[in-house]
Amino acid sequence: KRLPASEFSKKQVEKALESLKSIPDRDIRTSPDIEQRLFLTAVCKKCTEEKEAKERAEAEARREERQQAAAEAEAALGPPERISATLAERP
């Protein structure tokens, strides 16, 4: 699918344009008869935002699951037992 540069983040566009300058086997011929085409792959802003939102939701779910497991473990164990110790002499 062909998308305009506005569909991508500025950082991604700048990185792609910079990489075009450093193509090692780039055709340097210039002539009106020579047609040049470059194809780049990138992830659009919309897809990136959807992916980040999904990852945040999954991370939040894992965090809540860990907190719930910790709370259940704490409730099952109850409060810690208090032990007092006295020493006959100072070490």
Side-chain angles (χ1 to χ4, degrees), residues 13-71:
V13 171
E14 288 174 356
K15 186 177 177 182
L17 291 174
E18 191 64 36
S19 70
L20 291 177
K21 295 176 186 174
S22 63
I23 296 175
D25 57 349
R26 192 170 94 177
D27 188 4
I28 57 172
R29 296 177 293 172
T30 56
S31 170
D33 299 334
I34 298 174
E35 193 174 303
Q36 294 184 352
R37 288 192 182 171
L38 295 171
F39 296 93
L40 301 172
T41 57
V43 181
C44 69
K45 283 192 262 186
K46 179 183 169 190
C47 297
T48 304
E49 289 170 357
E50 288 174 357
K51 180 182 174 189
E52 288 174 354
K54 182 180 175 185
E55 288 174 351
R56 276 194 299 272
E58 289 173 354
E60 182 65 30
R62 285 193 305 269
R63 190 176 310 114
E64 287 177 7
E65 190 176 298
R66 281 194 307 268
Q67 288 175 348
Q68 184 179 8

